[in-house]
């Protein structure tokens, strides 16, 4: 990770989900973590990849709707807001 990026608040929780598998003829458990993570720092070199991930989803189970994330920008320096 870039040394100019700092981790902040993390609020994860486990979310369990089931799906039906026609191939196996049974329910399959598909769980993962949900929550919020706050980072601060210089994201300039990573920004195109971070934004792309919002549209294509990432990781195992993305075809089932897993791996989704949303980027929310926080304005911390109010002196530059008009």
């Amino acid at each position: 990770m870039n040394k100019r990026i700092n981790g902040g608040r993390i609020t994860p929780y486990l979310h369990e989900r089931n799906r039906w598998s026609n191939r196996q003829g049974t329910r399959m458990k598909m769980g993962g973590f949900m929550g919020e993570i706050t980072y601060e720092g210089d994201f300039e070199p990573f920004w195109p990849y971070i934004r792309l991930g919002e549209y294509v989803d990432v990781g195992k189970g993305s075809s089932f709707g897993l791996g989704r994330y949303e980027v929310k920008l926080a304005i911390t320096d109010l002196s530059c807001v008009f």
Side-chain angles (χ1 to χ4, degrees), residues 38-73:
T38 304
Y39 291 105
E40 296 176 349
D42 179 17
F43 287 91
E44 189 65 33
F46 309 106
W47 198 242
Y49 306 106
I50 292 169
R51 296 297 298 199
L52 177 64
E54 284 187 292
Y55 296 100
V56 299
D57 301 337
V58 293
K60 182 178 177 183
S62 60
S63 61
F64 297 105
L66 303 176
R68 188 172 303 152
Y69 65 86
E70 177 183 0
V71 175
K72 295 181 182 178
L73 300 178

Side-chain angles (χ1 to χ4, degrees), residues 6-18:
N6 300 312
R9 185 175 48 115
I10 301 173
T11 58
Y13 61 92
L14 187 60
H15 178 75
E16 290 293 339
R17 201 169 139 173
N18 294 315

